[in-house]
Amino acid sequence: MTETTGQTPYDKADEAAATLAELTGVERHDVAVVLGSGWLPAVDALGETRVEVDTTDVPHFGAAAVTGHSGKIRSVRSGDSNVLVFLSRTHYYEGKGVAAVVHGVRTAAAAGCRAMVLTNGCGGLKESWTPGTPVLISDHINLTGTSPIVGANFVDLTDLYSSRLRALCREVEPGLDEGVYVQFPGPHYETPAEVRMAGIIGGHLVGMSTTLEAIAAREAGMEVLGISLVTNLAAGISDQPLDHSEVLEAGRAAASRMGALLGAVVPRV
Ligand code: 8IG
């Protein structure tokens, strides 16, 4: 909530959705997609771009902060669906608050989206997941210590990551693995001991996004699909140091596979 305007985060999302409808000329969108680190090269496979807008022209979005994320929102036509594609996200580590992290998700819900596709680049704990391997998120562990929801709203997170949508992905790509995504606050990567802990508590993927957005999406009544692109082995799993440039490179190398997956799944969501 902002003291100056008295607007709730939901009011801000309504305002942003109204502006998006105006700027795109699309009254209602059906599905939203957030592209994470390494996913940008797959964007054109999603469908025909109708309009691309700058996040700075939409209320309550900040500018993009990370290389490889562009501050743009596209309205894409994919099959019979109007798809809202966020080419960047606000991360928790930017320190703008949890409401800013989930503003895109709430805007998508206010724009009419029934389903939220959350993608990310992350570290993998399984050595068989070489850089460029996509993994379906089956569940998550939120280590940020916070929630996008304020107040006594006890949202059920059972089957947060829709079994139906995971099955749909497997129809498109039968061999897809799945795993539990652990969100650390970042922006530093984990220590090897923290990665071991993530494994001991049931995690398979480590990253800095997605869980807060998934919770906000569920709160808004959307169906959630989470797909991680393992761009690096998590710290200590391999003896290589971690580097953001390898993330971007893994994305470029995997772009056609990720594009084919998203392009086939999204219109059927
Ligand atoms: I890309 O290994 C990417 N993002 N926390 N750990 C965390 N975030 C990541 C990683 C990783 N790789």
Side-chain angles (χ1 to χ4, degrees), residues 37-38 120-124 181-190 195 206-209 229-235 242 244 246-248:
S37 293
N120 62 55
C122 73
Y181 180 91
V182 183
Q183 180 176 359
F184 282 85
H188 53 274
Y189 292 121
E190 297 71 34
V195 169
V206 289
M208 305 178 194
S209 69
L229 177 64
V230 175
T231 57
N232 57 276
L233 283 174
L242 273 52
H244 188 63
E246 79 178 320
V247 170
L248 302 179

Side-chain angles (χ1 to χ4, degrees), residues 29-35 39 42-48 74-86 113-119 164-165 168-170 172 223 225-227 258-269:
H29 285 84
D30 304 302
V31 181
V33 181
V34 177
L35 296 177
W39 285 81
V43 66
D44 292 323
L46 270 167
E48 181 205 337
R74 278 190 193 179
S75 179
V76 170
R77 186 74 182 172
S78 180
D80 295 328
S81 297
N82 293 321
V83 184
L84 207 50
V85 186
F86 295 87
C113 296
R114 299 168 281 98
M116 190 74 228
V117 180
L118 299 167
T119 71
R164 184 185 78 86
L165 295 182
L168 180 57
C169 289
R170 287 220 187 73
V172 172
E223 205 173 1
L225 171 62
I227 317 177
M258 299 306 103
L261 179 60
L262 281 184
V265 167
V266 167
R268 297 172 61 191
V269 159

Side-chain angles (χ1 to χ4, degrees), residues 8 43 45 65 74 88 108 128 166 242:
T8 68
V43 66
R74 278 190 193 179
S88 66
S128 60
R166 276 184 277 149
L242 273 52

